Amino acid sequence: SDTTPTADPNQFSVEFYDYKTNELISKSNKNNLNEKLKASDDLIYMTSDNKVDSIDVEPSYVLLLSYLKDTSRDIWVLVYVKDDDVYVQADKRHANINLDTAGYDIYKSKYNKSQLEELIK
């Protein structure tokens, strides 16, 4: 039998917002929460290897990884799309997380534009 623990949709959520309008674009549900959490991990993978100096486009989306029982653990991430590439950065407007490791640096995501669009669906 499958013993992989599954995330509880009453405790966690993955939400994407339009950066300019703050409008909710998509939200995880109980059927896709685990898949969205796992994909979000890949999307916001940040190491010194994929750090970039700067990017000359506005953010397109804001990703909220929410721990519903303790909002101080929420993770807010700006998502930039430039051509086919996707970049991520911690969101200074919601800096209630420990940023010692990632700071506000910008990172090139493992995801490309079409993978991001699929995740946001």
Side-chain angles (χ1 to χ4, degrees), residues 11-90:
Q11 285 192 331
F12 299 96
S13 83
V14 178
E15 297 173 1
F16 281 91
Y17 294 86
D18 181 280
Y19 177 77
K20 283 191 171 64
T21 65
N22 280 330
E23 189 180 328
L24 179 65
I25 298 171
S26 80
K27 182 175 178 149
S28 57
N29 59 50
K30 64 178 194 244
N31 297 322
N32 68 15
L33 175 62
N34 283 294
E35 178 190 319
K36 296 256 188 203
L37 279 171
K38 198 169 165 188
S40 296
D41 258 5
D42 282 343
L43 174 70
I44 62 174
Y45 180 70
M46 299 174 177
T47 69
S48 54
D49 292 342
N50 64 336
K51 187 175 144 189
V52 296
D53 290 334
S54 65
I55 183 167
D56 59 357
V57 294
E58 285 277 300
S60 301
Y61 308 104
V62 179
L63 164 63
L64 168 59
L65 297 174
S66 186
Y67 181 66
L68 302 172
K69 292 194 177 352
D70 178 3
T71 56
S72 69
R73 291 173 59 185
D74 288 352
I75 298 173
W76 293 85
V77 179
L78 299 175
V79 181
Y80 301 80
V81 178
K82 183 175 182 182
D83 302 323
D84 196 39
D85 295 326
V86 175
Y87 299 85
V88 293
Q89 178 185 36

